[in-house]
Amino acid sequence: YGDAMLWCWIATNRKNVTHLLRWTTFYGPIWVAILTATGIMIVVFHAVRRSENKAKRWSFPSTLDESSTENTAAQFERKNTSNQRPVAVQATFFLLAFLITWSPSSLVRLIEMIGYQPSFVLKLCMAIILPCQGALNFLVYNRPKWLFYRRQNPQQPILNAIASFWVILVRGRSITNTRQSITETRPTLEQQNGPYPTLDLKSLPGVDLVALETQCQQVAKNENK
């Protein structure tokens, strides 16, 4: 094995062979994986957006009288939350962890391949950032849990919140309890603020239930086609 500045690599008498092996067996597959992950994240985002756009067609009947259902529509609108932005942000952080980790080292090897000497600052960035891949993945993976924990404990000081959240991560049982508490949030809110508003179509004036059912069946047929 020969010297590779920070680590070792296959030693050959021809530098072009060394660079070719380095890019075909190491950096090349890494960037293929990064591009593949990028494509997967784009597909996931479009799938979420397509599902939510379909769901919006069923969120509120369009045949209801507007004047008699204004308050109910406003209540439904306030409860309507979109997953498009959280999915996009989480996917972006996931890809940034890859790019931040592998961009400096790839740039160093690319500069070496074309016959130049990388700067000391670039080598230092490579030496510091590359071993941090696991830490970046850890932060990105636990980011949704941290956001949920902060929503449940908004008044807790940040340092205490970090310490408590770390304990939750260390104890697997506590993490499970945290996930289970998501389903317990709604009953708690109902106890504090009263039951969630419901829409009784029969009590609303100007609603033709037969026509509404026919319209829903027609929409379902169009979706199946």
Side-chain angles (χ1 to χ4, degrees):
Y1 291 93
D3 182 25
M5 188 170 57
L6 295 176
W7 296 276
C8 58
W9 191 251
I10 300 174
T12 61
N13 296 327
R14 300 171 60 184
K15 289 186 177 181
N16 57 344
V17 175
T18 300
H19 296 315
L20 179 62
L21 290 174
R22 179 175 289 159
W23 280 95
T24 55
T25 62
F26 190 74
Y27 286 99
I30 286 175
W31 282 100
V32 169
I34 293 175
L35 294 177
T36 302
T38 302
I40 292 174
M41 294 303 168
I42 294 175
V43 171
V44 170
F45 173 75
H46 282 288
V48 172
R49 185 174 66 176
R50 185 165 54 252
S51 299
E52 289 190 347
N53 290 338
K54 290 182 179 180
K56 287 179 182 179
R57 303 179 62 177
W58 300 88
S59 61
F60 196 79
S62 59
T63 58
L64 298 181
D65 181 70
E66 182 178 356
S67 60
S68 62
T69 60
E70 180 178 358
N71 294 333
T72 307
Q75 292 173 348
F76 272 75
E77 182 67 22
R78 284 194 298 268
K79 293 198 302 178
N80 182 28
T81 57
S82 174
N83 291 321
Q84 296 182 32
R85 180 179 175 83
V87 169
V89 173
Q90 184 66 17
T92 301
F93 276 112
F94 180 78
L95 296 175
L96 282 177
F98 272 110
L99 295 175
I100 292 174
T101 300
W102 293 106
S103 292
S105 59
S106 300
L107 186 58
V108 167
R109 301 311 181 190
L110 183 62
I111 293 175
E112 291 178 344
M113 186 177 63
I114 61 179
Y116 292 92
Q117 184 67 21
S119 65
F120 173 78
V121 176
L122 189 57
K123 293 179 181 179
L124 182 63
C125 292
M126 172 184 174
I128 294 176
I129 296 176
L130 191 56
C132 295
Q133 179 182 6
L136 294 177
N137 290 336
F138 171 83
L139 294 176
V140 173
Y141 178 79
N142 289 289
R143 176 180 172 273
K145 300 177 184 178
W146 165 254
L147 295 178
F148 171 75
Y149 179 80
R150 288 300 291 168
R151 285 195 298 268
Q152 300 300 312
N153 304 273
Q155 305 299 329
Q156 190 175 10
I158 184 64
L159 295 180
N160 293 342
I162 294 175
S164 301
F165 183 70
W166 177 255
V167 174
I168 290 176
L169 293 180
V170 172
R171 299 179 180 177
R173 184 180 52 151
S174 298
I175 295 176
T176 303
N177 294 337
T178 301
R179 291 175 179 174
Q180 292 176 349
S181 63
I182 297 178
T183 59
E184 299 171 359
T185 302
R186 177 164 179 166
T188 302
L189 292 177
E190 290 181 350
Q191 294 174 2
Q192 295 177 355
N193 304 325
Y196 281 79
T198 57
L199 180 61
D200 187 3
L201 297 178
K202 296 181 180 180
S203 64
L204 297 176
V207 178
D208 188 350
L209 296 180
V210 177
L212 180 59
E213 182 179 0
T214 304
Q215 181 183 5
C216 293
Q217 292 176 354
Q218 185 64 32
V219 172
K221 291 180 180 180
N222 296 334
E223 292 292 339
N224 294 329
K225 290 181 179 179

